[in-house]
Structures are given as C-alpha cells and as structure tokens.
Amino acid sequence: MNDFWPGGIRVRIHLLFWLVIGLAVMAGYFIETIALFIIVLIHELGHIAAARELGWEVKEIQLLPFGGVAVMEESPSADAIDEIVVALAGPFMNIVMIFFLFYFGG
C-alpha cells in the first residue's frame, strides 16, 4: 500500500486501488471514479473527526478498491453512545455533502 500523512492522519492506498483507477481511465470514467473516492475519503474523515473529539486514537484511513476504512483505537472509557456517534459521523458527512451540492451545485 502507498502511504501519505496529510494533517497527521496516515492515509494508506491499496495497490488494487490503482488498478481500479487505471480501468476507470481506460473506460472513460476517471472523473467519476475520483469523485467517488473523494466522497469515501470525506465520509471516513467524518468518522475520524468524531473519534478524535471523543479522545480516541486514530491510526489511519485505508482507501480500498471499493471503499474505505477508518482504523482507530477507541478510548478505554468509551461507552455505547460514543460508538454510535463515531459510527453516525460518516453518514452525517454524506448528508452534509448532499446539502452542499444542492446549495452550490446548481
């Protein structure tokens, strides 16, 4: 996997991700594929923002060929509400992106 660390968050890109990008270029869907992975990245950043706010240790984001994963270690004092907040933070970011698109996208 390729690694980079923007803003202190390690982002790992799976090697097969690049195969998907290559296939998308050949099929003429490069822009759509990049947009999809940007959406996945923003979704995962939602999980990470909530986890950091709750004091959890964030290890990395993994961009996989068909999605992403936020890898973190929850606080020992985390309760079920904290886990629900972190779990819902990603879909919340999707809702924010929808409203942003409706407002600015025309």
Side-chain angles (χ1 to χ4, degrees):
M1 287 192 176
N2 298 336
D3 297 353
F4 61 97
W5 294 267
I9 300 170
R10 181 179 185 185
V11 178
R12 297 183 71 192
I13 302 174
H14 195 277
L15 291 176
L16 290 178
F17 171 86
W18 299 114
L19 176 65
V20 170
I21 296 296
L23 292 172
V25 168
M26 290 190 303
Y29 292 105
F30 177 73
I31 299 297
E32 292 86 349
T33 305
I34 292 301
L36 174 64
F37 280 101
I38 289 171
I39 290 168
V40 169
L41 184 62
I42 292 170
H43 173 97
E44 297 304 327
L45 287 172
H47 293 300
I48 285 177
R52 281 188 167 179
E53 187 65 30
L54 293 170
W56 295 12
E57 179 187 346
V58 176
K59 296 188 179 226
E60 65 187 13
I61 295 176
Q62 296 177 2
L63 289 180
L64 305 171
F66 298 102
V69 176
V71 179
M72 58 195 84
E73 193 170 306
E74 66 183 66
S75 171
S77 63
D79 58 3
I81 297 297
D82 291 349
E83 291 184 23
I84 291 170
V85 167
V86 172
L88 291 178
F92 174 74
M93 289 304 295
N94 288 34
I95 293 168
V96 169
M97 287 185 282
I98 290 169
F99 284 116
F100 186 82
L101 180 64
F102 281 140
Y103 186 73
F104 293 109

